[in-house]
């Protein structure tokens, strides 16, 4: 069963449901990635406070690392649903996976006190998260179907 739309094309209820799912997954992914970008900024602020002598900031910095792990895992699951259940784009999944893997390396470098890796990797992760946040409004668009029009 299909429905006639204003421009003369037909659309199926299945396609409409997929579009709604894709848009919903895209919105959830966008919110999560905005929060990741803000959390990374907060992590930089806490690191600066710790280096300035506020040693309690280190504990909050560690909590922030766990918080970003959870956010990025949720982002990865949402991006997977967006891609494979909603037939969306692949880049949100790859972006979430890359940030999650970088976050794990960052956590390891921080725990080992390898500041020569921890600080530059943190700067790169902040830049990456903000680039994703700038582009995230396109996450809920249809993915490439491999056909040309």
């Amino acid at each position: 069963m299909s429905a006639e739309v204003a421009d003369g094309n037909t659309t199926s209820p299945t396609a409409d449901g997929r579009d709604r799912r894709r848009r919903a997954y895209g919105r959830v992914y966008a919110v999560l990635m905005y929060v990741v970008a803000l959390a990374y900024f907060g992590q930089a602020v806490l690191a600066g406070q710790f280096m300035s002598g506020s040693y309690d900031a280190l504990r909050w910095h560690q909590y922030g690392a766990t918080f970003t792990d959870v956010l990025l895992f949720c982002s990865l699951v949402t991006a997977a649903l967006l891609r494979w259940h909603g037939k969306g784009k692949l880049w949100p999944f790859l972006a979430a996976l890359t940030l999650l893997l970088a976050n794990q390396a960052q956590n390891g470098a921080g725990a080992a006190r390898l500041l020569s890796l921890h600080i530059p990797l943190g700067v790169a992760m902040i830049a990456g998260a903000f680039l994703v946040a700038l582009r995230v409004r396109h996450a809920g668009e249809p993915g490439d179907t491999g056909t040309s029009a």
Side-chain angles (χ1 to χ4, degrees), residues 39-40 43 59-74 100 103-104 107:
Y40 278 169
Q43 285 290 87
R59 179 175 302 136
W60 287 103
H61 187 71
Q62 291 168 338
Y63 293 152
T66 302
F67 179 64
T68 56
D69 281 338
V70 171
L71 285 174
L72 286 167
F73 180 77
C74 292
L100 181 61
N103 210 57
Q104 294 307 302
N107 292 346

Side-chain angles (χ1 to χ4, degrees), residues 18 22 81-89 141-144:
R18 185 179 302 131
R22 186 176 48 247
L81 288 169
L82 172 64
R83 172 63 178 158
W84 287 286
H85 191 244
K87 305 295 184 206
K89 296 185 180 216
E141 294 175 356
D144 184 22

Side-chain angles (χ1 to χ4, degrees), residues 28-120:
V28 171
Y29 179 78
V31 168
L32 287 167
M33 293 311 291
Y34 289 141
V35 175
V36 166
L38 290 173
Y40 278 169
F41 180 75
Q43 285 290 87
V45 170
L46 289 169
Q49 289 177 343
F50 171 69
M51 289 183 200
S52 296
S54 177
Y55 298 109
D56 287 339
L58 182 59
R59 179 175 302 136
W60 287 103
H61 187 71
Q62 291 168 338
Y63 293 152
T66 302
F67 179 64
T68 56
D69 281 338
V70 171
L71 285 174
L72 286 167
F73 180 77
C74 292
S75 298
L76 186 67
V77 170
T78 303
L81 288 169
L82 172 64
R83 172 63 178 158
W84 287 286
H85 191 244
K87 305 295 184 206
K89 296 185 180 216
L90 180 61
W91 74 261
F93 180 79
L94 296 176
L97 180 62
T98 301
L99 284 173
L100 181 61
L101 293 174
N103 210 57
Q104 294 307 302
Q106 178 75 339
N107 292 346
R113 306 293 191 251
L114 297 173
L115 295 182
S116 60
L117 175 62
H118 187 71
I119 293 172

